[in-house]
Amino acid sequence: MTWRRAARRAVPALMAGLVLATAGCDADPPQHERSSGQVERTESVTAANLVIVVDGDGRGVLIGTLLNRGPGADRLVDVDAEGESLLELPIAVDLVGGPVTLPSDEPVRLAEQPEVVLSSVRLVPGFRAPLELTFAESDPIVTTVRVEARTGPYADVSIPPAGE
């Protein structure tokens, strides 16, 4: 068993706690920050509570928290959602505003402003979308992320309409 597989099985809860402890907790965080989405990490970046929230029309946003534990700033420069699908239905990804800056030891909450917008007929609640997050300085994070409807704890998540 590789180290990465072992970490995926044993460390997700610990990593979520580490992100919260390092980032601090707001007195009243937004509802969607309380989710328990996908948690992944590299040597210098932790991605916690990753979830894609969709509007029901095939558009969604990636929410979650990125924490750069490296000595200097890093950037999320690309997100790929193609994976190895047998369906061959593409998932378009747009980094709104370009690369996302990740200051050292400061959490970046993707839900505060839609940074990563996705669109595809495949984006329906219950689907697990393959994602590869590419950083300028850190190793990429390859994972699958749960797709959730914009209801309940995700009702206040902003999803920009097509063309924006």
Side-chain angles (χ1 to χ4, degrees):
M1 177 179 293
T2 67
W3 178 87
R4 183 170 175 99
R5 272 196 192 150
R8 279 190 197 168
R9 291 184 180 166
V11 182
L14 179 61
M15 293 291 50
L18 175 65
V19 168
L20 291 175
T22 305
C25 296
D26 295 337
D28 190 21
Q31 279 286 4
H32 46 69
E33 290 298 326
R34 297 178 193 181
S35 73
S36 58
Q38 191 67 25
V39 177
E40 298 286 346
R41 69 176 290 219
T42 66
E43 188 173 315
S44 59
V45 175
T46 297
N49 296 327
L50 295 179
V51 174
I52 298 171
V53 179
V54 294
D55 62 6
D57 292 324
R59 287 187 56 80
V61 294
L62 177 65
I63 66 169
T65 302
L66 300 177
L67 178 63
N68 169 22
R69 295 177 323 278
D74 201 347
R75 293 178 303 137
L76 174 64
V77 295
D78 188 36
V79 177
D80 177 47
E82 293 306 309
E84 298 177 8
S85 171
L86 299 175
L87 298 175
E88 298 299 325
L89 298 171
I91 298 175
V93 181
D94 182 26
L95 283 177
V96 177
V100 178
T101 301
L102 305 174
S104 183
D105 292 322
E106 291 182 34
V108 174
R109 290 184 177 92
L110 298 175
E112 291 176 358
Q113 173 180 331
E115 306 276 1
V116 182
V117 179
L118 303 98
S119 58
S120 174
V121 295
R122 290 171 55 194
L123 294 178
V124 295
F127 179 69
R128 291 193 62 85
L131 291 183
E132 181 174 356
L133 287 71
T134 304
F135 303 93
E137 303 296 327
S138 301
D139 291 335
I141 290 177
V142 178
T143 188
T144 59
V145 177
R146 188 175 77 238
V147 176
E148 294 286 343
R150 188 173 59 178
T151 60
Y154 306 109
D156 63 339
V157 173
S158 174
I159 301 173
E164 286 189 19

